[in-house]
Amino acid sequence: MTTNDDSAAPISVKEAVALARVAGLPIPDERLPRLAADLTAAQALIADLAAVPTGSLPAVVDAFDPAWPQHPGGRRP
Amino acid sequence: MTASMDLSSLTLHDTLVALEARQFSTVELIRATLERMLETEETLHAFVDVHARDAMEHAMIADRRRQIPRPAPPLLGIPLGIKDIFDIAGKPTRCNSALREDAPVAVRDADAVHAWRRDGAILIGKTVTQEFAAGIVSAPARNPWDPERIPGGSSGGSAAAVAAGTCLGALGSDTGGSIRIPASVTGTVGLKPTYGRIGTSGTYPLSASLDTVGPIARTVPDAALLFLSLANRTKEIPEAVSRLQHADGSLAGRRIGVLTTFFQERLQPDVATAFDQALKTLEQLGAEIIECEWSGANAARAAAMVISRVESAAVHRDALRATPDLMGEDLRTRLEVGAILPADAYLRARQAREAVTRSIAEVYTSQRLDAIVTPTLPTTAPRADDLRVCYADGTEEPAGTALTRLTAPWNTTGQPVISVPCGFDAKTLPIGLSFVGRPDAELDLCALARAYEQATGWHTRRPTVATPDA
């Protein structure tokens, strides 16, 4: 199982500072190590998403509809 | 309190029958409920606000209504708890956040609150939530089975109150597991309906494309009743509840799937044993157990995490930049990560959501499944002072990761899930079993879960809440 603990290269504190600046977030120095760790975990989640083949799917523009297709492989109502 | 009114063991259905038979009045019920709170709240802190005067006034009205010789509303006089992210007209919604300490009173009821009030319920108080419904601790609320442990979250106060007998049902919300997690660790029943089927107006959002409103109760029929009220399907309640109460318990002809990977990995031994025993019980009831593979589970979990982080960061965008010091550390970091994640990650998560939803639909269709069962959680309740989950192989996992690992995939697919008690670990802490259904199949799911519930009786066990004098 891929988990957020064991994949993706860690994000450094220096990188976290740069990312927070771009996002306009005020982050005190003492909080940066935790932010870097949580960003690394989030990066692993993104890596997990890459395992899903989405190439044949159109871009998602509508609100999520949990209904299943009437027929396997068919479009949703 | 009358001899027939043991609030720690009464179900919502029992109470309705007793009220109808005039075994006790609504005023007596509410008075006993408030007295029960005096016994438990000093330990459990399940409520942030108790509406005692309003409740007694509504109890008197309910008793007068019951004198009228026509059918009573289906929840008449039933004391219910409301998670403090839902608006109740005339009360503030504080979401367990310093940012909302001076929140104005709500002008109108949330959709869900309106539904229960319309059907006669008495809103006994606001229950403790994790800050803005984002997390699994729900401090200061504690677990009735062991007050040193968390009641789960984010609907932890609601579950603790139901388990302790200070309300007969409670409102929760579920974005990554926030109904099912507290239900599992408190030995209660939690129903996450199909995404989008219960109105969310008047509910403080965490992640709008995942947030799902649902009930926590003591039994499956009670959860079904509360769900039908929330879904504005009040007319269906008498027949649906009667069918569940009087079902013969057979699961002959039913096909129940078991996912052999992901949901069987990294479980505490007592959870794995209880799950195996649950499968045997389902087989004894006549169900066919079908082993299945679903390769999308891990991506489904990741999609829920990415979507919820980004959307919750958007909800709190201004506060995160202007007044972050008023946020708890966990919430703040979670929102910061959401604010930093790239837009294409969010869009990829939404595409992955579509893909894994199609793939799980294919599993159900190809195997002709009525439901899938999984352990609700890989663990029982963690200690409040040690938020880690340890496994037999010596590894450990942060509690927030462990408790959402098996629940969040179903938020991504949007399917209905009901968690019911399925045993206890060596420390007498409850273990939960989840039935995952097809979209909009809540009542069918309840029928399966009810058969299991009736066969095992785990739901009848109640905690003895330690009191300061005990």
Side-chain angles (χ1 to χ4, degrees), chain A residues 1-2 23-28 31 34 38 42 45-46 48-50 52 54 57-58 60 62 64 66 68 72 76, chain B residues 195 265 298-299 302-303 305 321 329-330 332-333 336 341 350-351 353-355 357 361-362 364-365 412-413 438-439:
Chain A
M1 181 180 69
T2 305
L25 298 172
I27 315 273
R31 299 193 61 260
R34 175 162 182 191
D38 281 27
L45 293 171
I46 295 169
D48 289 343
L49 292 175
V52 181
T54 55
L57 289 174
V60 177
D62 297 327
F64 177 71
W68 289 348
R76 292 186 190 187
Chain B
Y195 170 76
E265 295 167 4
N298 195 45
M305 297 297 162
R321 288 156 179 86
E329 179 64 21
D330 288 349
R332 182 176 176 179
T333 309
E336 286 165 347
L341 280 173
R350 290 194 57 187
Q351 269 201 314
R353 186 181 198 184
E354 293 289 327
T357 301
E362 179 60 28
Y364 276 73
T365 304
T412 293
T413 65
R438 293 167 178 255

Side-chain angles (χ1 to χ4, degrees), chain B residues 146-349:
Chain B
D146 178 353
E148 298 297 314
R149 294 174 187 271
I150 63 170
S154 62
S155 311
S158 285
V162 172
T166 47
C167 60
L168 289 163
L171 197 54
S173 64
D174 193 315
T175 303
S178 287
I179 289 173
R180 294 159 287 155
I181 293 166
S184 182
V185 300
T186 62
T188 53
V189 174
L191 172 59
K192 180 191 87 68
T194 307
Y195 170 76
R197 302 302 188 252
I198 309 293
T200 56
S201 174
T203 308
Y204 206 97
L206 175 61
S207 174
S209 60
L210 295 166
D211 294 342
T212 306
V213 177
I216 296 172
R218 293 187 187 168
T219 68
V220 173
D222 288 358
L225 194 169
L226 294 169
F227 159 72
L228 288 169
S229 173
L230 291 173
N232 299 320
R233 293 163 58 182
T234 304
K235 286 181 181 168
E236 297 176 47
I237 288 174
E239 187 185 335
V241 173
S242 174
R243 205 180 314 126
L244 289 169
Q245 286 288 145
H246 303 111
D248 66 5
S250 170
L251 294 179
R254 302 293 220 143
R255 292 171 63 85
I256 296 178
V258 177
L259 297 168
T260 52
T261 54
F262 190 85
F263 293 93
Q264 307 276 349
E265 295 167 4
R266 237 182 162 189
L267 305 179
Q268 285 187 332
D270 289 347
V271 173
T273 301
F275 182 65
D276 289 343
Q277 185 56 49
L279 296 181
K280 288 180 184 147
T281 300
L282 292 169
E283 274 189 316
Q284 286 163 2
L285 292 172
E288 189 174 352
I289 303 296
I290 318 286
E291 290 196 346
C292 309
E293 293 286 334
W294 178 40
S295 61
N298 195 45
R301 170 185 158 277
M305 297 297 162
V306 170
I307 291 169
S308 70
R309 270 153 187 71
V310 173
E311 292 187 354
S312 57
V315 169
H316 298 281
R317 188 185 191 289
D318 293 342
L320 186 57
R321 288 156 179 86
T323 51
D325 293 340
L326 293 178
M327 295 177 179
E329 179 64 21
D330 288 349
L331 176 72
R332 182 176 176 179
T333 309
R334 174 194 180 109
L335 298 180
E336 286 165 347
V337 169
I340 288 170
L341 280 173
D344 74 327
Y346 176 74
L347 295 173
R348 177 180 284 187

Side-chain angles (χ1 to χ4, degrees), chain B residues 6-28:
Chain B
D6 176 3
L7 289 175
S8 63
S9 62
L10 270 182
T11 68
L12 194 161
H13 180 265
D14 295 339
T15 305
L16 285 169
V17 171
L19 287 169
E20 190 63 33
R22 310 291 195 272
Q23 289 176 19
F24 47 76
S25 69
T26 312
V27 166
E28 288 173 316

